[in-house]
Amino acid sequence: MPRGSATTPIRLVIASFPPTCRAAVALGASILLPLFRELLQSILSVNLTLVSLAQNEEVKNLTEASINHNEEVKRSAPGPRSSWFLHS
């Protein structure tokens, strides 16, 4: 059944409720939906924060690896008094 159509099972069940119960269901939905949206927004915010922290840690690790690699290259490069420098 298409979502939101008048023939969905939940709508048929709610339509069978007495008017006072239908009003209670509508009131409950009007109270719960904003709370659900707020909860979902909080969950997404926490997820975004965790992803950002993981990315920051990865950038930190890559930076450290790059610095270490650069130091290693400096140590293995010939110095100015080497025969490589004199014969160039």
Side-chain angles (χ1 to χ4, degrees):
M1 285 181 237
R3 187 171 182 232
S5 72
T7 57
T8 57
I10 191 69
R11 289 184 185 264
L12 290 175
V13 169
I14 292 171
S16 69
F17 290 168
T20 54
C21 289
R22 283 190 298 235
V25 168
L27 179 61
S30 69
I31 292 171
L32 292 178
L33 285 177
L35 294 175
F36 179 73
R37 285 188 188 108
E38 185 179 339
L39 175 63
L40 183 58
Q41 186 63 41
S42 296
I43 290 168
L44 292 173
S45 179
V46 168
N47 185 58
L48 180 62
T49 301
L50 293 174
V51 168
S52 296
L53 288 173
Q55 287 175 339
N56 289 346
E57 188 66 26
E58 186 63 25
V59 168
K60 177 184 163 195
N61 292 339
L62 289 171
T63 301
E64 288 176 3
S66 176
I67 290 169
N68 291 338
H69 177 72
N70 191 31
E71 292 298 320
E72 188 68 30
V73 168
K74 285 180 187 177
R75 283 193 293 272
S76 64
R81 293 195 170 123
S82 71
S83 59
W84 174 82
F85 180 76
L86 295 174
H87 297 293
S88 297

